[in-house]
Amino acid sequence: MSQSPSAVSSVKFAETTSNDVTTVDSAENIQHVLDALDDADCRAILEATSEDALSANEVSDTCDLPLSTTYRKLELLTDAGLLEERTRLCTTGKHSSEYVRTVEDVVVSLGASGEMGLEVTQRARSPGDR
């Protein structure tokens, strides 16, 4: 039973947990994260945003994706909790959105009874991050 990204509420990971690792328990949220990671364009965006926050146009250029596709993938990744949308302040007063990867590691496990588990390691935040 697959749902469209807009039909699924955003996956939110705890700000701080033991060793900054969060366990995702909901089967729906696990599937949402796995769907995002299954997409090659989404993986390219995660790689592109691993060092620096990028605007949608910068992601589009870096990943060689049409801008309309880029916006859909950015929404999928932010809803899955893998990217964070921030506001990029400009001296001209015209602010824009930028995107940065929020997770360092995702580990999928399969229990003895067939239950699926997902652990997400949050990236360390720099002092200037919210």
Side-chain angles (χ1 to χ4, degrees):
M1 173 170 68
S2 179
Q3 296 181 355
S4 70
S6 60
V8 179
S9 62
S10 296
V11 178
K12 300 292 182 199
F13 302 119
E15 285 288 325
T16 54
T17 58
S18 174
N19 297 325
D20 291 330
V21 174
T22 302
T23 301
V24 180
D25 294 324
S26 161
E28 181 179 338
N29 289 344
I30 290 172
Q31 189 60 52
H32 198 50
V33 171
L34 292 177
D35 288 345
L37 294 175
D38 186 43
D39 186 294
D41 293 336
C42 287
R43 290 192 308 272
I45 292 170
L46 287 171
E47 183 178 338
T49 57
S50 65
E51 296 296 322
D52 297 312
L54 301 176
S55 69
N57 284 327
E58 292 166 339
V59 169
S60 176
D61 291 343
T62 301
C63 298
D64 196 27
L65 295 171
L67 194 55
S68 59
T69 300
T70 300
Y71 278 112
R72 283 195 313 275
K73 303 302 179 174
L74 290 171
E75 181 178 6
L76 178 64
L77 289 163
T78 54
D79 286 349
L82 302 173
L83 280 186
E84 179 179 67
E85 181 178 5
R86 300 178 181 170
T87 300
R88 180 182 287 180
L89 302 176
C90 297
T91 56
T92 62
K94 184 176 180 183
H95 309 308
S96 61
S97 291
E98 63 182 15
Y99 300 86
V100 65
R101 195 173 86 192
T102 59
V103 296
E104 188 64 41
D105 198 26
V106 177
V107 177
V108 179
S109 61
L110 190 59
S113 302
E115 70 279 1
M116 187 171 287
L118 187 74
E119 289 186 343
V120 178
T121 305
Q122 301 295 324
R123 295 188 81 174
R125 292 177 175 237
S126 63
D129 290 346
R130 297 185 266 164

